[in-house]
Amino acid sequence: MSTRIAVAGASGYAGCEILRILLGHPAYAAGDIEIGSLTAGSSAGTPMAEIAPHLPELADRVIEETTPKVLAGHDVVFLALPHGHSAAIAEALGESVIIIDCGADFRLRDGNAWEKFYGSEHAGSWPYGIPEMPGHREQLAGATRIAVPGCFPTGATLALWPAVQAGLIDPVISIVSVTGVSGGGKKASVGLLGAETMGSLKAYNTAGRHRHTPEIIQNLSEFTSAPLSVSFTPVLAPLPRGILTTATAPLAAGVDAGKVRGVYRAAYANEPFVHLLAEGLQPQTQSVAGSNMCHLQAEVDQAAGRLVVVSAIDNLTKGTAGAAVQCMNLALGLEEQSGLSRAGVAP
């Protein structure tokens, strides 16, 4: 029997990206997975031909309402919903269904941090979906509940965990991430209009206010017992897709460029979706567009005594939908790379 998959929030950018990846999955081509119900909220009743003309294979499908009744009977359910909507659906569907939540609901282990940044009751935590973090691939294999990470924490965590784990830095970290507008979702928003974003850059949710800050701290805290300080600044740029993250921190005593390169090479030697660039090259968002890749550069600013790590990801792919499908592959026991491109689209 084929594995039946539903996508809740199928009208949004993340939901459509999940569907794009699933349509190219070898298990879909073989008939081993089947795309079942496609659901949303206000878009219910709208043809997919209108919502996602770039997905012609789904043109004759119609968006259904997101309810447990509609989602029941599927083997895998992707939830690409606003935060606060996943817990009730998960409870109604039962433990046998693999639920992969692309929202924030189950990412944080600290209930106080959740309530501070999200302003609602903490629903708990699920296995966390960055397989490249040591120990997480094992947690995700065969899991029936998975929390897909935030897009900013993905780029920041992949950039920094090797340095934190190896003690290359004093963990007083500054992170600046430049992001495309699709990270804000498909909802109508004046701040995301072309007239507001074209030809302009704008920092937002600064000085520790961004909701991804505690998630980044949580991830990096797995690799050190030392007090960890993270200053995170997101910057909105006139791009459809992509996140370019620059992370810096003071070097620990005795650390030089050779040691840094050695640590990063070893950390990612067997990771197909993380590429450490040759010295002298810098990550670019255009190089990872449409792919499940993270491109990295790790350098030493000797004069400043700081480590500088730059990462580039596609926020909709490795930052959300690609990570979700990567986690699905692990949960179902499929080859982890299945359906996920390592090649970007350039220019």
Side-chain angles (χ1 to χ4, degrees):
M1 289 180 61
S2 62
T3 298
R4 199 155 182 261
I5 298 173
V7 178
S11 62
Y13 291 137
C16 283
E17 187 74 349
I18 290 169
L19 291 169
R20 181 183 74 85
I21 295 169
L22 289 176
L23 290 169
H25 200 292
Y28 177 78
D32 295 328
I33 63 175
E34 170 192 352
I35 297 176
S37 295
L38 310 178
T39 78
S42 61
S43 298
T46 307
M48 280 296 289
E50 179 179 329
I51 288 171
H54 64 297
L55 304 176
E57 289 180 73
L58 301 175
D60 62 346
R61 304 286 293 277
V62 176
I63 293 288
E64 300 177 77
E65 186 180 355
T66 300
T67 66
K69 182 178 180 180
V70 171
L71 297 173
H74 294 84
D75 303 295
V76 179
V77 176
F78 290 96
L79 300 179
L81 304 171
H83 75 267
H85 291 73
S86 300
I89 291 173
E91 185 176 358
L93 292 179
E95 290 295 327
S96 63
V97 181
I98 296 172
I99 300 177
I100 301 174
D101 185 20
C102 296
D105 292 33
F106 297 97
R107 295 173 186 163
L108 295 182
R109 294 188 292 271
D110 185 338
N112 291 329
W114 170 269
E115 291 172 12
K116 175 182 176 181
F117 281 86
Y118 290 90
S120 60
E121 185 177 352
H122 186 226
S125 62
W126 290 352
Y128 186 78
I130 297 184
E132 295 82 3
M133 291 175 66
H136 284 249
R137 184 171 277 114
E138 293 76 13
Q139 296 173 22
L140 296 166
T144 60
R145 297 290 187 272
I146 294 172
V148 177
C151 51
F152 287 127
T154 296
T157 301
L158 293 175
L160 286 164
W161 78 255
V164 175
Q165 184 184 60
L168 300 180
I169 57 174
D170 294 330
V172 180
I173 299 167
S174 175
I175 302 168
V176 177
S177 294
V178 180
T179 182
V181 294
S182 61
K186 207 171 183 179
K187 62 185 181 297
S189 171
V190 171
L192 297 178
L193 291 173
E196 301 291 331
T197 58
M198 287 189 296
S200 181
L201 295 171
K202 179 185 178 182
Y204 64 100
N205 287 341
T206 55
R209 289 189 291 271
H210 196 281
R211 288 170 167 173
H212 287 173
T213 302
E215 190 177 339
I216 296 170
I217 293 171
Q218 171 181 280
N219 294 355
L220 298 180
S221 294
E222 292 188 21
F223 305 101
T224 181
S225 59
L228 186 71
S229 170
V230 172
S231 175
F232 172 54
T233 302
V235 178
L236 184 66
L239 309 167
R241 295 172 174 248
I243 294 176
L244 188 76
T245 292
T246 301
T248 69
L251 287 168
V255 173
D256 59 16
K259 184 170 184 178
V260 167
R261 294 291 297 183
V263 164
Y264 275 82
R265 282 196 198 98
Y268 291 123
N270 298 312
E271 291 296 346
F273 296 122
V274 182
H275 177 47
L276 179 64
L277 300 182
E279 293 182 61
L281 300 179
Q282 284 296 329
Q284 304 178 75
T285 56
Q286 70 170 357
S287 301
V288 296
S291 81
N292 199 51
M293 291 298 296
C294 173
H295 285 189
L296 284 179
Q297 183 57 273
E299 300 176 290
V300 167
D301 183 340
Q302 204 68 56
R306 296 184 74 85
L307 174 71
V308 180
V309 186
V310 179
S311 70
I313 63 170
D314 183 326
N315 59 295
L316 292 180
T317 313
K318 185 57 174 168
T320 309
V325 173
Q326 188 177 351
C327 290
M328 179 199 77
N329 289 339
L330 288 166
L332 290 174
L334 302 175
E335 211 290 315
E336 186 177 336
Q337 300 181 51
S338 292
L340 298 167
S341 176
R342 298 182 71 236
V345 179

